[in-house]
Amino acid sequence: MAEESGAGAMAGLEHPGWDPALGEEFLREALRVLLEDAVRKGTDVTEKVCEWREPLELRELLDLELRSCGEPPERLLQRCRDVVRYSVKTGHPRFFNQLFSGLDPHALAGRLFTEALNTSQYTFEVAPVFVLMEGVVLAKLRELVGWSSGDGIFAPGGSMCNMYAMNVARFQRFPECRSLGMAALPRLAVFTSCDSHYSIEKGAAFLGIGTDNVHLVATDERGKMIPEELEKEIQKAKAEGAEPFLVCATCGTTVLGAFDPLGAIADVCERHGLWLHVDAAWGGSALLSSKHRHLLAGIERAHSVTWNPHKMLTVGLQCSAFLLRDTSGLLQRCFGSGATYLFQRDKFYDMSYDTGDKTPQCGRRVDCFKLWLLWKAIGTQGLAQRVERAFACSRYLAEEVKRRDGFKLVMEPEFINLCFWFVPPSLRGRESCPDYWSSLGKVAPAIKERMMKKGSMMVGYQPHGTRVNFFRQIVTSPAVTRADLDFFLDEIERLGWDL
């Protein structure tokens, strides 16, 4: 009986375990759904940005449970349509909610190709094209920073790039930490502005440095780090027995879009022998524009840089570069493990092309191709125009906000973060009342709820310091027109008029 069972199993191996023709037909139909529902409708200004459902209702609508038996292709395609229908359309011209938006066809094509090829960017033998391509793209990004040489790697997001910087800087200062751990080191100190990204504190927690050892440096009224305050914090940390080793400056803070004064900060770092990392995840793309790259003056003095092309360049999530000025192989020494089942030393080709040991990851997505294909399609000039258009949109909106009754700028924008309050008629002229600011702080959340339930658009809001909730409007999508910007302000007014 066992012999017959074994023979039956062997017979089953004479053919593929799936039907290629049926699989190709399903894929063809699925791509039609993708083009019609996710791309065409998802970027159509007459369609909703989102179709809001409460979590329990949405779970029931989608039938998310997994069962023993499979479903027919027609049912699966309908499920794909439902997934698109109830998802937020971040490519919609009226999605202003995050630091990423828009849908570029070239970048999307790049993502589809890399998903289909399904390789890991760790060795030349399994990703020969993409290993070479990543090197070229990283070199071009470094050139824009102002470095003629260096190193780098694409990482899973800007937060991880910042953590890479923290780890590499620590290793460079204390190489023994790799083998002996934190117990062998003095108490370390990290410095960043109080408006910096939360990933700095998360990185300190993750790497065992400790959040209490992240010194948050005061900022000016525009959210820029004050170099004199950085100097004081460094001196204070030293006096307390800590060992400063890293300063993280920010180019394009998340809320106000502030650019720290890199030249003055670099001077402080050089005096104290500290690693300077620049988190330019948001603002780095301004380097492409001759009109706006002055915002990052001095970035070439940094030791490392984080840059997220998936934001302002509309490359698509995720595309985050960790760039390094070092040419001594610091990344490899910091992260490398030399696993002999993957990075064999007796390979028949040049092992320097196996770049996967320069990161704590093993499997690694191909994130360079979508940026490379977009860059090939529109060139550096096209990318620069995309950046400059985003600035122009922000400038137009700022002037409109100043012109319209009931709208109030938090501050004049330096970057493309437009921060403003909408004051409904019921609160106008009541600035001296004790409850004015607490009442105003409730306006943005109420409008946000209404817009999402209506599905007309999406925009973010938040408090900041002593300021109550205000809207933070971001334009990165090249699909946005003046009509969309006018609609945005009109809709805020419509939704908040009776509050």
Side-chain angles (χ1 to χ4, degrees):
M1 192 71 177
E3 186 176 336
E4 292 178 5
S5 176
M10 290 299 293
L13 296 179
E14 294 176 359
H15 305 284
W18 64 298
D19 187 327
L22 289 178
E24 186 175 323
E25 178 59 28
F26 175 77
L27 183 58
R28 186 178 294 111
E29 293 303 315
L31 287 172
R32 287 196 181 99
V33 173
L34 184 148
L35 280 173
E36 180 60 32
D37 292 44
V39 176
R40 291 185 189 134
K41 290 183 180 178
T43 58
D44 185 344
V45 74
T46 66
E47 298 281 340
K48 289 185 175 182
V49 174
C50 65
E51 192 165 325
W52 175 257
R53 293 291 187 276
E54 294 294 334
L56 293 180
E57 181 189 5
L58 184 59
R59 186 184 183 102
E60 186 174 338
L61 279 170
L62 294 175
D63 183 18
L64 297 174
E65 299 305 314
L66 301 172
R67 300 181 176 85
S68 299
C69 296
E71 297 180 343
E74 296 78 14
R75 184 72 182 114
L76 294 176
L77 291 169
Q78 183 55 49
R79 293 199 183 282
C80 291
R81 294 186 186 96
D82 290 341
V83 165
V84 175
R85 177 181 178 182
Y86 296 112
S87 291
V88 174
K89 315 306 186 297
T90 66
H92 195 287
R94 292 173 183 172
F95 175 84
F96 306 109
N97 205 70
Q98 252 66 46
L99 302 186
F100 63 87
S101 65
L103 183 64
D104 183 90
H106 303 101
L108 177 59
R111 292 152 75 185
L112 293 175
F113 275 106
T114 54
E115 289 298 314
L117 290 168
N118 190 40
T119 194
S120 179
Q121 180 116 21
Y122 47 30
T123 64
F124 184 79
E125 64 183 279
V126 297
V129 173
F130 299 128
V131 164
L132 297 177
M133 183 182 290
E134 182 178 51
V136 169
V137 175
L138 289 170
K140 192 66 177 178
L141 295 177
R142 288 195 303 268
E143 178 187 317
L144 288 164
V145 169
W147 302 333
S148 59
S149 60
D151 202 351
I153 203 83
F154 277 96
S159 291
M160 290 304 299
C161 288
N162 290 339
M163 293 183 197
Y164 285 13
M166 198 175 295
N167 198 44
V168 170
R170 179 177 63 177
F171 174 79
Q172 189 269 344
R173 183 73 167 268
F174 302 102
E176 65 272 22
C177 71
R178 178 182 164 101
S179 55
L180 299 178
M182 288 295 293
L185 306 186
R187 181 164 59 88
L188 303 182
V190 174
F191 304 85
T192 192
S193 89
C194 57
D195 277 8
S196 66
H197 194 259
Y198 65 81
S199 60
I200 307 304
E201 290 191 282
K202 277 197 172 188
F206 183 71
L207 294 169
I209 294 168
T211 57
D212 287 351
N213 296 313
V214 177
H215 296 250
L216 299 179
V217 181
T219 57
D220 64 17
E221 69 282 354
R222 296 197 60 85
K224 302 170 182 284
M225 184 192 292
I226 303 172
E228 294 78 11
E229 292 300 317
L230 172 62
E231 179 73 40
K232 291 178 184 177
E233 287 292 334
I234 293 171
Q235 297 289 6
K236 178 183 175 183
K238 287 182 175 181
E240 293 172 349
E243 185 76 25
F245 78 104
L246 171 74
V247 174
C248 177
T250 310
C251 284
T253 57
T254 305
V255 178
L256 300 180
F259 286 72
D260 289 341
L262 300 183
I265 292 171
D267 290 341
V268 175
C269 290
E270 288 178 4
R271 279 198 301 272
H272 293 277
L274 306 184
W275 184 284
L276 174 57
H277 174 66
V278 175
D279 176 5
W282 178 213
S285 294
L287 289 168
L288 286 152
S289 167
S290 59
K291 293 181 181 178
H292 302 294
R293 66 172 289 124
H294 66 89
L295 292 170
L296 299 99
I299 194 171
E300 71 282 354
R301 297 174 66 185
H303 296 87
S304 57
V305 170
T306 292
W307 184 350
N308 284 5
H310 69 236
K311 290 179 177 171
M312 202 187 307
L313 300 185
T314 327
V315 177
L317 292 164
Q318 62 198 19
C319 188
S320 301
F322 175 61
L323 306 174
L324 201 63
R325 180 154 51 102
D326 177 85
T327 58
S328 71
L330 189 58
L331 268 180
Q332 178 70 36
R333 298 199 311 278
C334 179
F335 291 118
S337 63
T340 54
Y341 53 80
L342 189 58
F343 305 110
Q344 301 93 333
R345 305 308 306 175
D346 54 357
K347 289 186 176 181
F348 63 91
Y349 59 83
D350 184 349
M351 269 286 293
S352 66
Y353 289 102
D354 285 0
T355 57
D357 220 14
K358 297 196 296 186
T359 165
Q361 294 176 260
C362 180
R364 192 161 63 91
R365 290 171 55 94
V366 175
D367 291 328
C368 61
F369 182 49
K370 53 197 170 187
L371 175 56
W372 180 88
L373 193 60
L374 170 61
W375 211 318
K376 280 286 192 180
I378 68 175
T380 306
Q381 291 182 349
L383 294 176
Q385 289 169 5
R386 188 162 290 188
V387 170
E388 289 162 9
R389 195 174 192 278
F391 272 86
C393 286
S394 179
R395 187 70 259 157
Y396 173 79
L397 271 177
E399 293 305 314
E400 284 296 299
V401 164
K402 288 188 287 187
R403 186 181 67 81
R404 295 184 180 217
D405 291 338
F407 289 84
K408 182 180 180 182
L409 281 177
V410 172
M411 64 175 58
E412 286 283 346
E414 179 180 43
F415 193 36
I416 65 173
N417 301 42
L418 185 77
C419 302
F420 68 93
W421 288 285
F422 173 71
V423 184
S426 64
L427 290 177
R428 294 175 193 174
R430 295 183 54 201
E431 288 83 356
S432 60
C433 296
D435 65 341
Y436 173 79
W437 287 106
S438 61
S439 298
L440 183 59
K442 298 174 184 176
V443 172
I447 292 176
K448 176 69 175 279
E449 178 181 358
R450 289 179 175 184
M451 76 173 64
M452 288 198 67
K453 290 182 175 178
K454 183 179 177 182
S456 57
M457 63 184 193
M458 280 182 68
V459 65
Y461 72 86
Q462 66 285 300
H464 183 267
T466 60
R467 300 179 178 103
V468 299
N469 284 320
F470 54 84
F471 289 109
R472 178 197 54 170
Q473 203 268 15
I474 303 292
V475 178
T476 59
S477 172
V480 173
T481 65
R482 182 179 296 181
D484 297 315
L485 300 177
D486 291 338
F487 174 87
F488 169 76
L489 295 178
D490 292 342
E491 184 74 344
I492 291 283
E493 192 166 16
R494 279 192 291 267
L495 296 172
W497 186 260
D498 63 344
L499 292 175

